[in-house]
Amino acid sequence: MGTMIRLLGADDVDSFRRIRLEALRTEPASFASSAEDWENFSDDEWRRRLLGDPVFVAFEDDVPIGIMGLMRQRASKMAHRATLIMVYVRRETRGTGLAKRLLEAVTEYARGMGIRQLELAASAENSTAIRFYEREGFTHIGRVPGGCLRNGREIDDLLMAKRIVD
Protein backbone atom coordinates (compact mmCIF):
# COMPACT_ATOMS: atom_id res chain seq x y z
CA MET A 1 0.00 0.00 0.00
CA GLY A 2 2.89 2.36 0.70
CA THR A 3 2.92 5.64 2.54
CA MET A 4 -0.11 7.91 2.59
CA ILE A 5 -0.39 11.38 4.13
CA ARG A 6 -3.75 12.79 5.10
CA LEU A 7 -5.49 15.37 7.22
CA LEU A 8 -6.96 13.73 10.30
CA GLY A 9 -10.63 14.03 11.18
CA ALA A 10 -12.85 13.38 14.19
CA ASP A 11 -12.68 9.60 13.70
CA ASP A 12 -8.88 9.55 13.87
CA VAL A 13 -8.39 10.13 17.59
CA ASP A 14 -6.73 6.73 18.11
CA SER A 15 -4.17 7.31 15.33
CA PHE A 16 -3.52 10.82 16.64
CA ARG A 17 -3.01 9.58 20.22
CA ARG A 18 -0.71 6.79 19.04
CA ILE A 19 1.69 8.92 16.98
CA ARG A 20 1.62 11.92 19.35
CA LEU A 21 2.53 9.84 22.41
CA GLU A 22 5.16 7.94 20.42
CA ALA A 23 6.72 11.27 19.43
CA LEU A 24 6.73 12.63 22.99
CA ARG A 25 8.16 9.40 24.44
CA THR A 26 10.75 8.80 21.70
CA GLU A 27 12.04 12.37 21.28
CA PRO A 28 11.35 14.12 24.60
CA ALA A 29 13.99 16.78 23.91
CA SER A 30 12.24 17.90 20.72
CA PHE A 31 8.98 19.12 22.24
CA ALA A 32 7.82 21.72 24.72
CA SER A 33 5.17 19.28 25.96
CA SER A 34 6.07 16.13 27.84
CA ALA A 35 4.45 12.71 27.45
CA GLU A 36 3.09 13.11 30.98
CA ASP A 37 1.27 16.28 29.87
CA TRP A 38 -0.67 14.29 27.29
CA GLU A 39 -0.96 10.76 28.70
CA ASN A 40 -3.79 11.57 31.06
CA PHE A 41 -5.99 13.45 28.59
CA SER A 42 -9.58 12.24 28.33
CA ASP A 43 -10.92 11.13 24.94
CA ASP A 44 -12.74 14.46 24.74
CA GLU A 45 -9.52 16.38 25.28
CA TRP A 46 -7.71 14.32 22.62
CA ARG A 47 -10.56 15.06 20.20
CA ARG A 48 -10.44 18.76 21.07
CA ARG A 49 -6.67 18.89 20.46
CA LEU A 50 -7.07 17.02 17.19
CA LEU A 51 -9.82 19.25 15.84
CA GLY A 52 -8.46 22.54 17.20
CA ASP A 53 -5.78 22.80 14.51
CA PRO A 54 -5.19 20.87 11.27
CA VAL A 55 -3.10 17.73 11.90
CA PHE A 56 -1.52 15.73 9.10
CA VAL A 57 -0.30 12.18 9.66
CA ALA A 58 1.75 9.87 7.46
CA PHE A 59 0.58 6.26 7.46
CA GLU A 60 2.48 3.16 6.36
CA ASP A 61 -0.08 0.38 5.85
CA ASP A 62 -2.48 2.09 8.28
CA VAL A 63 0.22 2.55 10.94
CA PRO A 64 0.93 6.21 11.80
CA ILE A 65 4.64 6.96 11.28
CA GLY A 66 4.81 10.77 11.14
CA ILE A 67 2.88 13.86 12.18
CA MET A 68 2.85 17.59 11.51
CA GLY A 69 0.32 20.13 12.76
CA LEU A 70 -0.45 23.71 11.80
CA MET A 71 -1.46 26.33 14.36
CA ARG A 72 -2.85 29.43 12.72
CA GLN A 73 -2.64 32.79 14.45
CA ARG A 74 -6.11 33.69 15.72
CA ALA A 75 -5.97 37.52 15.57
CA SER A 76 -7.36 38.83 12.28
CA LYS A 77 -4.30 40.92 11.44
CA MET A 78 -2.02 37.91 12.02
CA ALA A 79 -4.17 35.19 10.44
CA HIS A 80 -1.82 35.03 7.44
CA ARG A 81 0.76 33.37 9.73
CA ALA A 82 0.83 29.81 11.07
CA THR A 83 3.23 27.79 13.20
CA LEU A 84 4.34 24.23 12.52
CA ILE A 85 3.66 22.11 15.61
CA MET A 86 4.04 18.49 16.77
CA VAL A 87 6.57 17.67 14.02
CA TYR A 88 7.82 14.07 14.22
CA VAL A 89 8.78 11.23 11.91
CA ARG A 90 9.97 7.81 13.03
CA ARG A 91 13.73 7.50 13.18
CA GLU A 92 13.85 4.72 10.59
CA THR A 93 12.01 6.91 8.06
CA ARG A 94 14.43 9.83 8.38
CA GLY A 95 16.30 10.59 5.19
CA THR A 96 13.54 9.00 3.07
CA GLY A 97 11.85 12.28 2.17
CA LEU A 98 8.87 11.62 4.48
CA ALA A 99 9.32 14.82 6.50
CA LYS A 100 9.57 16.76 3.24
CA ARG A 101 6.33 15.19 1.99
CA LEU A 102 4.56 16.02 5.25
CA LEU A 103 5.80 19.60 5.02
CA GLU A 104 4.61 19.83 1.41
CA ALA A 105 1.13 18.57 2.39
CA VAL A 106 0.90 21.07 5.25
CA THR A 107 2.23 23.91 3.07
CA GLU A 108 -0.30 23.19 0.33
CA TYR A 109 -3.12 23.16 2.87
CA ALA A 110 -1.84 26.37 4.46
CA ARG A 111 -1.76 28.16 1.10
CA GLY A 112 -5.36 27.10 0.54
CA MET A 113 -6.26 28.73 3.87
CA GLY A 114 -4.67 32.00 2.77
CA ILE A 115 -1.60 31.57 4.97
CA ARG A 116 1.45 33.43 3.65
CA GLN A 117 4.10 32.56 6.22
CA LEU A 118 5.02 29.40 8.13
CA GLU A 119 6.94 29.75 11.37
CA LEU A 120 8.44 27.36 13.90
CA ALA A 121 10.56 27.09 17.00
CA ALA A 122 13.27 24.43 17.12
CA SER A 123 15.57 23.55 19.98
CA ALA A 124 18.99 25.07 19.37
CA GLU A 125 20.40 21.62 20.15
CA ASN A 126 18.35 19.87 17.45
CA SER A 127 20.78 20.34 14.58
CA THR A 128 19.07 17.69 12.41
CA ALA A 129 15.77 19.57 12.48
CA ILE A 130 17.45 22.92 11.93
CA ARG A 131 19.32 21.62 8.86
CA PHE A 132 16.10 20.12 7.47
CA TYR A 133 14.23 23.42 7.79
CA GLU A 134 17.13 25.35 6.27
CA ARG A 135 17.13 22.99 3.28
CA GLU A 136 13.39 23.55 2.93
CA GLY A 137 13.85 27.32 2.69
CA PHE A 138 13.22 28.44 6.26
CA THR A 139 15.37 31.30 7.50
CA HIS A 140 16.42 32.20 11.03
CA ILE A 141 14.36 35.09 12.40
CA GLY A 142 15.33 35.04 16.04
CA ARG A 143 16.30 33.21 19.18
CA VAL A 144 14.56 32.83 22.53
CA PRO A 145 17.27 32.56 25.20
CA GLY A 146 16.44 29.74 27.63
CA GLY A 147 13.22 29.13 25.71
CA CYS A 148 12.78 25.63 27.05
CA LEU A 149 13.62 23.96 30.33
CA ARG A 150 14.88 20.37 30.05
CA ASN A 151 16.03 18.47 33.10
CA GLY A 152 16.70 21.78 34.83
CA ARG A 153 18.77 23.11 31.90
CA GLU A 154 17.72 26.13 29.90
CA ILE A 155 18.02 25.56 26.15
CA ASP A 156 17.55 28.27 23.54
CA ASP A 157 14.80 28.02 20.94
CA LEU A 158 15.59 29.06 17.38
CA LEU A 159 12.77 30.79 15.53
CA MET A 160 12.49 30.20 11.79
CA ALA A 161 10.10 31.32 9.09
CA LYS A 162 9.34 30.72 5.44
CA ARG A 163 7.19 32.77 3.05
CA ILE A 164 4.88 30.41 1.13
CA VAL A 165 3.34 33.00 -1.19
CA ASP A 166 4.97 35.84 -3.07
Side-chain angles (χ1 to χ4, degrees), residues 3 5 19 22-23 26-27 30-31 56-58 64-68 86-103 128 132-133:
T3 307
I5 294 173
I19 192 67
E22 176 185 315
T26 309
E27 303 286 344
S30 296
F31 302 101
F56 286 79
V57 166
I65 58 170
I67 183 171
M68 193 176 287
M86 297 190 284
V87 179
Y88 168 78
V89 294
R90 281 194 176 165
R91 190 172 294 275
E92 62 268 24
T93 69
R94 293 176 197 170
T96 66
L98 181 63
K100 184 181 176 71
R101 286 180 54 203
L102 266 168
L103 181 59
T128 305
F132 166 73
Y133 292 121

mmCIF file of all heavy atoms in Angstrom, residues 3 5 19 22-23 26-27 30-31 56-58 64-68 86-103 128 132-133:
data_model
loop_
_atom_site.group_PDB
_atom_site.id
_atom_site.type_symbol
_atom_site.label_atom_id
_atom_site.label_comp_id
_atom_site.label_asym_id
_atom_site.label_seq_id
_atom_site.Cartn_x
_atom_site.Cartn_y
_atom_site.Cartn_z
ATOM 1 N N THR A 3 3.140 4.560 1.593
ATOM 2 C CA THR A 3 2.915 5.644 2.544
ATOM 3 C C THR A 3 1.857 6.608 2.031
ATOM 4 O O THR A 3 1.874 6.984 0.865
ATOM 5 C CB THR A 3 4.232 6.411 2.771
ATOM 6 O OG1 THR A 3 5.242 5.481 3.126
ATOM 7 C CG2 THR A 3 4.080 7.417 3.890
ATOM 8 N N ILE A 5 -0.306 10.245 3.203
ATOM 9 C CA ILE A 5 -0.394 11.381 4.128
ATOM 10 C C ILE A 5 -1.788 11.963 4.009
ATOM 11 O O ILE A 5 -2.290 12.187 2.905
ATOM 12 C CB ILE A 5 0.660 12.449 3.786
ATOM 13 C CG1 ILE A 5 2.059 11.891 4.039
ATOM 14 C CG2 ILE A 5 0.429 13.723 4.614
ATOM 15 C CD1 ILE A 5 3.182 12.787 3.573
ATOM 16 N N ILE A 19 0.477 8.302 17.533
ATOM 17 C CA ILE A 19 1.692 8.915 16.983
ATOM 18 C C ILE A 19 2.161 10.079 17.858
ATOM 19 O O ILE A 19 3.360 10.299 18.014
ATOM 20 C CB ILE A 19 1.499 9.348 15.506
ATOM 21 C CG1 ILE A 19 2.840 9.699 14.850
ATOM 22 C CG2 ILE A 19 0.499 10.479 15.378
ATOM 23 C CD1 ILE A 19 3.781 8.546 14.667
ATOM 24 N N GLU A 22 3.887 8.512 20.885
ATOM 25 C CA GLU A 22 5.157 7.941 20.423
ATOM 26 C C GLU A 22 6.197 9.049 20.257
ATOM 27 O O GLU A 22 7.345 8.907 20.683
ATOM 28 C CB GLU A 22 4.953 7.219 19.087
ATOM 29 C CG GLU A 22 6.244 6.675 18.506
ATOM 30 C CD GLU A 22 6.062 6.055 17.128
ATOM 31 O OE1 GLU A 22 5.098 5.285 16.936
ATOM 32 O OE2 GLU A 22 6.888 6.335 16.237
ATOM 33 N N ALA A 23 5.802 10.154 19.650
ATOM 34 C CA ALA A 23 6.725 11.270 19.433
ATOM 35 C C ALA A 23 7.242 11.814 20.758
ATOM 36 O O ALA A 23 8.458 12.008 20.937
ATOM 37 C CB ALA A 23 6.018 12.383 18.649
ATOM 38 N N THR A 26 9.533 9.156 22.438
ATOM 39 C CA THR A 26 10.745 8.798 21.702
ATOM 40 C C THR A 26 11.724 9.959 21.624
ATOM 41 O O THR A 26 12.937 9.763 21.673
ATOM 42 C CB THR A 26 10.378 8.347 20.265
ATOM 43 O OG1 THR A 26 9.360 7.355 20.346
ATOM 44 C CG2 THR A 26 11.582 7.765 19.542
ATOM 45 N N GLU A 27 11.196 11.176 21.475
ATOM 46 C CA GLU A 27 12.036 12.368 21.280
ATOM 47 C C GLU A 27 11.677 13.447 22.304
ATOM 48 O O GLU A 27 11.278 14.555 21.932
ATOM 49 C CB GLU A 27 11.823 12.930 19.863
ATOM 50 C CG GLU A 27 12.102 11.944 18.748
ATOM 51 C CD GLU A 27 13.578 11.693 18.533
ATOM 52 O OE1 GLU A 27 14.391 12.499 19.038
ATOM 53 O OE2 GLU A 27 13.924 10.714 17.862
ATOM 54 N N SER A 30 12.662 17.134 21.896
ATOM 55 C CA SER A 30 12.239 17.901 20.718
ATOM 56 C C SER A 30 10.963 18.699 20.927
ATOM 57 O O SER A 30 10.576 19.474 20.064
ATOM 58 C CB SER A 30 12.024 16.952 19.532
ATOM 59 O OG SER A 30 13.244 16.338 19.176
ATOM 60 N N PHE A 31 10.292 18.497 22.051
ATOM 61 C CA PHE A 31 8.979 19.119 22.236
ATOM 62 C C PHE A 31 8.883 19.889 23.538
ATOM 63 O O PHE A 31 9.488 19.517 24.534
ATOM 64 C CB PHE A 31 7.884 18.040 22.207
ATOM 65 C CG PHE A 31 7.878 17.246 20.931
ATOM 66 C CD1 PHE A 31 8.438 15.983 20.882
ATOM 67 C CD2 PHE A 31 7.332 17.770 19.778
ATOM 68 C CE1 PHE A 31 8.459 15.249 19.703
ATOM 69 C CE2 PHE A 31 7.345 17.052 18.592
ATOM 70 C CZ PHE A 31 7.903 15.796 18.553
ATOM 71 N N PHE A 56 -1.790 16.671 10.183
ATOM 72 C CA PHE A 56 -1.517 15.728 9.099
ATOM 73 C C PHE A 56 -0.690 14.574 9.640
ATOM 74 O O PHE A 56 0.244 14.788 10.418
ATOM 75 C CB PHE A 56 -0.747 16.424 7.966
ATOM 76 C CG PHE A 56 -1.609 17.340 7.147
ATOM 77 C CD1 PHE A 56 -1.928 18.615 7.611
ATOM 78 C CD2 PHE A 56 -2.112 16.926 5.921
ATOM 79 C CE1 PHE A 56 -2.743 19.463 6.864
ATOM 80 C CE2 PHE A 56 -2.918 17.769 5.174
ATOM 81 C CZ PHE A 56 -3.235 19.043 5.642
ATOM 82 N N VAL A 57 -1.038 13.360 9.213
ATOM 83 C CA VAL A 57 -0.302 12.179 9.656
ATOM 84 C C VAL A 57 0.067 11.337 8.442
ATOM 85 O O VAL A 57 -0.728 11.201 7.502
ATOM 86 C CB VAL A 57 -1.121 11.355 10.685
ATOM 87 C CG1 VAL A 57 -0.530 9.966 10.893
ATOM 88 C CG2 VAL A 57 -1.178 12.102 12.015
ATOM 89 N N ALA A 58 1.288 10.818 8.474
ATOM 90 C CA ALA A 58 1.750 9.869 7.457
ATOM 91 C C ALA A 58 1.475 8.465 7.976
ATOM 92 O O ALA A 58 1.785 8.155 9.128
ATOM 93 C CB ALA A 58 3.245 10.062 7.195
ATOM 94 N N PRO A 64 0.430 4.837 11.850
ATOM 95 C CA PRO A 64 0.931 6.211 11.796
ATOM 96 C C PRO A 64 2.437 6.266 12.055
ATOM 97 O O PRO A 64 2.915 5.706 13.035
ATOM 98 C CB PRO A 64 0.149 6.930 12.901
ATOM 99 C CG PRO A 64 -0.313 5.860 13.830
ATOM 100 C CD PRO A 64 -0.418 4.596 13.023
ATOM 101 N N ILE A 65 3.180 6.936 11.153
ATOM 102 C CA ILE A 65 4.644 6.963 11.276
ATOM 103 C C ILE A 65 5.210 8.384 11.282
ATOM 104 O O ILE A 65 6.409 8.575 11.439
ATOM 105 C CB ILE A 65 5.316 6.149 10.150
ATOM 106 C CG1 ILE A 65 4.912 6.683 8.769
ATOM 107 C CG2 ILE A 65 4.991 4.668 10.287
ATOM 108 C CD1 ILE A 65 5.717 6.100 7.614
ATOM 109 N N GLY A 66 4.345 9.389 11.124
ATOM 110 C CA GLY A 66 4.815 10.769 11.144
ATOM 111 C C GLY A 66 3.646 11.704 11.347
ATOM 112 O O GLY A 66 2.497 11.352 11.055
ATOM 113 N N ILE A 67 3.940 12.894 11.871
ATOM 114 C CA ILE A 67 2.876 13.855 12.178
ATOM 115 C C ILE A 67 3.402 15.278 12.015
ATOM 116 O O ILE A 67 4.586 15.545 12.250
ATOM 117 C CB ILE A 67 2.348 13.625 13.626
ATOM 118 C CG1 ILE A 67 1.181 14.571 13.959
ATOM 119 C CG2 ILE A 67 3.469 13.758 14.652
ATOM 120 C CD1 ILE A 67 0.492 14.238 15.289
ATOM 121 N N MET A 68 2.519 16.166 11.584
ATOM 122 C CA MET A 68 2.846 17.588 11.512
ATOM 123 C C MET A 68 1.543 18.374 11.643
ATOM 124 O O MET A 68 0.572 18.080 10.935
ATOM 125 C CB MET A 68 3.540 17.909 10.186
ATOM 126 C CG MET A 68 4.203 19.265 10.127
ATOM 127 S SD MET A 68 5.113 19.532 8.546
ATOM 128 C CE MET A 68 6.551 18.471 8.744
ATOM 129 N N MET A 86 4.096 19.949 16.597
ATOM 130 C CA MET A 86 4.044 18.489 16.766
ATOM 131 C C MET A 86 4.828 17.735 15.700
ATOM 132 O O MET A 86 4.478 16.605 15.348
ATOM 133 C CB MET A 86 2.583 18.001 16.762
ATOM 134 C CG MET A 86 1.763 18.545 17.889
ATOM 135 S SD MET A 86 0.134 17.742 18.030
ATOM 136 C CE MET A 86 -0.763 18.497 16.676
ATOM 137 N N VAL A 87 5.871 18.305 15.148
ATOM 138 C CA VAL A 87 6.572 17.673 14.022
ATOM 139 C C VAL A 87 7.380 16.454 14.495
ATOM 140 O O VAL A 87 8.206 16.557 15.400
ATOM 141 C CB VAL A 87 7.514 18.680 13.328
ATOM 142 C CG1 VAL A 87 8.248 18.019 12.176
ATOM 143 C CG2 VAL A 87 6.730 19.900 12.852
ATOM 144 N N TYR A 88 7.116 15.316 13.865
ATOM 145 C CA TYR A 88 7.823 14.074 14.223
ATOM 146 C C TYR A 88 7.708 13.075 13.085
ATOM 147 O O TYR A 88 6.634 12.909 12.496
ATOM 148 C CB TYR A 88 7.199 13.464 15.488
ATOM 149 C CG TYR A 88 7.642 12.047 15.787
ATOM 150 C CD1 TYR A 88 8.881 11.792 16.368
ATOM 151 C CD2 TYR A 88 6.818 10.967 15.490
ATOM 152 C CE1 TYR A 88 9.284 10.478 16.645
ATOM 153 C CE2 TYR A 88 7.209 9.663 15.769
ATOM 154 C CZ TYR A 88 8.447 9.424 16.343
ATOM 155 O OH TYR A 88 8.844 8.136 16.618
ATOM 156 N N VAL A 89 8.817 12.427 12.758
ATOM 157 C CA VAL A 89 8.784 11.235 11.906
ATOM 158 C C VAL A 89 9.634 10.161 12.577
ATOM 159 O O VAL A 89 10.619 10.464 13.245
ATOM 160 C CB VAL A 89 9.283 11.491 10.457
ATOM 161 C CG1 VAL A 89 8.350 12.434 9.708
ATOM 162 C CG2 VAL A 89 10.700 11.994 10.436
ATOM 163 N N ARG A 90 9.222 8.919 12.419
ATOM 164 C CA ARG A 90 9.966 7.809 13.026
ATOM 165 C C ARG A 90 11.410 7.809 12.546
ATOM 166 O O ARG A 90 11.693 8.080 11.390
ATOM 167 C CB ARG A 90 9.319 6.473 12.647
ATOM 168 C CG ARG A 90 8.114 6.167 13.466
ATOM 169 C CD ARG A 90 7.711 4.720 13.308
ATOM 170 N NE ARG A 90 6.598 4.444 14.201
ATOM 171 C CZ ARG A 90 5.838 3.371 14.099
ATOM 172 N NH1 ARG A 90 6.063 2.483 13.144
ATOM 173 N NH2 ARG A 90 4.856 3.185 14.947
ATOM 174 N N ARG A 91 12.286 7.463 13.462
ATOM 175 C CA ARG A 91 13.726 7.500 13.182
ATOM 176 C C ARG A 91 14.082 6.711 11.914
ATOM 177 O O ARG A 91 14.861 7.167 11.090
ATOM 178 C CB ARG A 91 14.490 6.947 14.390
ATOM 179 C CG ARG A 91 15.989 7.153 14.331
ATOM 180 C CD ARG A 91 16.661 6.771 15.634
ATOM 181 N NE ARG A 91 16.288 7.638 16.742
ATOM 182 C CZ ARG A 91 16.862 8.799 17.020
ATOM 183 N NH1 ARG A 91 17.829 9.250 16.251
ATOM 184 N NH2 ARG A 91 16.469 9.528 18.039
ATOM 185 N N GLU A 92 13.473 5.545 11.751
ATOM 186 C CA GLU A 92 13.847 4.719 10.593
ATOM 187 C C GLU A 92 13.366 5.301 9.259
ATOM 188 O O GLU A 92 13.785 4.865 8.200
ATOM 189 C CB GLU A 92 13.346 3.272 10.755
ATOM 190 C CG GLU A 92 11.835 3.118 10.836
ATOM 191 C CD GLU A 92 11.292 3.140 12.265
ATOM 192 O OE1 GLU A 92 11.953 3.706 13.156
ATOM 193 O OE2 GLU A 92 10.211 2.570 12.477
ATOM 194 N N THR A 93 12.476 6.292 9.313
ATOM 195 C CA THR A 93 12.013 6.914 8.064
ATOM 196 C C THR A 93 12.797 8.184 7.735
ATOM 197 O O THR A 93 12.573 8.787 6.687
ATOM 198 C CB THR A 93 10.516 7.294 8.144
ATOM 199 O OG1 THR A 93 10.361 8.377 9.066
ATOM 200 C CG2 THR A 93 9.661 6.113 8.568
ATOM 201 N N ARG A 94 13.688 8.587 8.626
ATOM 202 C CA ARG A 94 14.431 9.830 8.382
ATOM 203 C C ARG A 94 15.391 9.661 7.217
ATOM 204 O O ARG A 94 16.016 8.623 7.072
ATOM 205 C CB ARG A 94 15.158 10.275 9.651
ATOM 206 C CG ARG A 94 14.129 10.680 10.700
ATOM 207 C CD ARG A 94 14.693 11.059 12.031
ATOM 208 N NE ARG A 94 13.595 11.027 13.017
ATOM 209 C CZ ARG A 94 13.755 11.129 14.305
ATOM 210 N NH1 ARG A 94 14.964 11.287 14.805
ATOM 211 N NH2 ARG A 94 12.717 11.085 15.106
ATOM 212 N N GLY A 95 15.467 10.672 6.379
ATOM 213 C CA GLY A 95 16.298 10.586 5.195
ATOM 214 C C GLY A 95 15.579 9.964 4.008
ATOM 215 O O GLY A 95 16.151 9.815 2.934
ATOM 216 N N THR A 96 14.299 9.607 4.172
ATOM 217 C CA THR A 96 13.538 8.999 3.071
ATOM 218 C C THR A 96 12.702 10.025 2.323
ATOM 219 O O THR A 96 12.042 9.681 1.340
ATOM 220 C CB THR A 96 12.578 7.912 3.596
ATOM 221 O OG1 THR A 96 11.571 8.541 4.411
ATOM 222 C CG2 THR A 96 13.313 6.853 4.403
ATOM 223 N N GLY A 97 12.683 11.264 2.801
ATOM 224 C CA GLY A 97 11.846 12.279 2.172
ATOM 225 C C GLY A 97 10.463 12.390 2.806
ATOM 226 O O GLY A 97 9.641 13.193 2.372
ATOM 227 N N LEU A 98 10.193 11.592 3.849
ATOM 228 C CA LEU A 98 8.871 11.621 4.478
ATOM 229 C C LEU A 98 8.579 12.974 5.126
ATOM 230 O O LEU A 98 7.484 13.525 4.963
ATOM 231 C CB LEU A 98 8.742 10.499 5.512
ATOM 232 C CG LEU A 98 7.378 10.426 6.208
ATOM 233 C CD1 LEU A 98 6.273 10.126 5.198
ATOM 234 C CD2 LEU A 98 7.383 9.371 7.304
ATOM 235 N N ALA A 99 9.540 13.515 5.851
ATOM 236 C CA ALA A 99 9.321 14.820 6.496
ATOM 237 C C ALA A 99 9.050 15.890 5.441
ATOM 238 O O ALA A 99 8.185 16.753 5.616
ATOM 239 C CB ALA A 99 10.530 15.205 7.349
ATOM 240 N N LYS A 100 9.781 15.816 4.341
ATOM 241 C CA LYS A 100 9.574 16.764 3.236
ATOM 242 C C LYS A 100 8.160 16.642 2.672
ATOM 243 O O LYS A 100 7.489 17.637 2.413
ATOM 244 C CB LYS A 100 10.623 16.516 2.153
ATOM 245 C CG LYS A 100 10.579 17.487 0.987
ATOM 246 C CD LYS A 100 11.651 17.111 -0.030
ATOM 247 C CE LYS A 100 11.597 17.985 -1.262
ATOM 248 N NZ LYS A 100 12.049 19.353 -1.010
ATOM 249 N N ARG A 101 7.688 15.400 2.505
ATOM 250 C CA ARG A 101 6.331 15.187 1.986
ATOM 251 C C ARG A 101 5.273 15.696 2.955
ATOM 252 O O ARG A 101 4.263 16.273 2.536
ATOM 253 C CB ARG A 101 6.107 13.709 1.692
ATOM 254 C CG ARG A 101 6.825 13.235 0.427
ATOM 255 C CD ARG A 101 6.590 11.771 0.153
ATOM 256 N NE ARG A 101 5.180 11.439 0.098
ATOM 257 C CZ ARG A 101 4.683 10.211 0.321
ATOM 258 N NH1 ARG A 101 5.497 9.208 0.621
ATOM 259 N NH2 ARG A 101 3.380 9.990 0.261
ATOM 260 N N LEU A 102 5.488 15.484 4.245
ATOM 261 C CA LEU A 102 4.564 16.020 5.252
ATOM 262 C C LEU A 102 4.530 17.547 5.175
ATOM 263 O O LEU A 102 3.458 18.156 5.177
ATOM 264 C CB LEU A 102 4.998 15.587 6.661
ATOM 265 C CG LEU A 102 4.358 14.335 7.239
ATOM 266 C CD1 LEU A 102 5.110 13.904 8.493
ATOM 267 C CD2 LEU A 102 2.882 14.546 7.557
ATOM 268 N N LEU A 103 5.717 18.146 5.105
ATOM 269 C CA LEU A 103 5.803 19.603 5.022
ATOM 270 C C LEU A 103 5.104 20.118 3.763
ATOM 271 O O LEU A 103 4.405 21.136 3.808
ATOM 272 C CB LEU A 103 7.264 20.054 5.063
ATOM 273 C CG LEU A 103 7.498 21.566 5.001
ATOM 274 C CD1 LEU A 103 6.808 22.292 6.157
ATOM 275 C CD2 LEU A 103 9.001 21.864 5.000
ATOM 276 N N THR A 128 19.687 18.415 13.530
ATOM 277 C CA THR A 128 19.075 17.691 12.411
ATOM 278 C C THR A 128 17.836 18.428 11.915
ATOM 279 O O THR A 128 17.656 18.635 10.716
ATOM 280 C CB THR A 128 18.697 16.257 12.831
ATOM 281 O OG1 THR A 128 19.865 15.623 13.357
ATOM 282 C CG2 THR A 128 18.172 15.454 11.666
ATOM 283 N N PHE A 132 17.244 20.467 8.325
ATOM 284 C CA PHE A 132 16.099 20.124 7.470
ATOM 285 C C PHE A 132 15.330 21.388 7.083
ATOM 286 O O PHE A 132 15.041 21.620 5.902
ATOM 287 C CB PHE A 132 15.176 19.130 8.180
ATOM 288 C CG PHE A 132 13.830 18.985 7.515
ATOM 289 C CD1 PHE A 132 13.708 18.315 6.310
ATOM 290 C CD2 PHE A 132 12.691 19.525 8.091
ATOM 291 C CE1 PHE A 132 12.471 18.185 5.681
ATOM 292 C CE2 PHE A 132 11.455 19.403 7.472
ATOM 293 C CZ PHE A 132 11.343 18.725 6.273
ATOM 294 N N TYR A 133 15.004 22.216 8.082
ATOM 295 C CA TYR A 133 14.226 23.421 7.789
ATOM 296 C C TYR A 133 15.009 24.394 6.912
ATOM 297 O O TYR A 133 14.435 25.031 6.023
ATOM 298 C CB TYR A 133 13.772 24.092 9.087
ATOM 299 C CG TYR A 133 12.751 23.271 9.847
ATOM 300 C CD1 TYR A 133 12.996 22.839 11.147
ATOM 301 C CD2 TYR A 133 11.545 22.904 9.254
ATOM 302 C CE1 TYR A 133 12.065 22.088 11.840
ATOM 303 C CE2 TYR A 133 10.608 22.146 9.947
ATOM 304 C CZ TYR A 133 10.870 21.742 11.236
ATOM 305 O OH TYR A 133 9.955 20.988 11.922
#
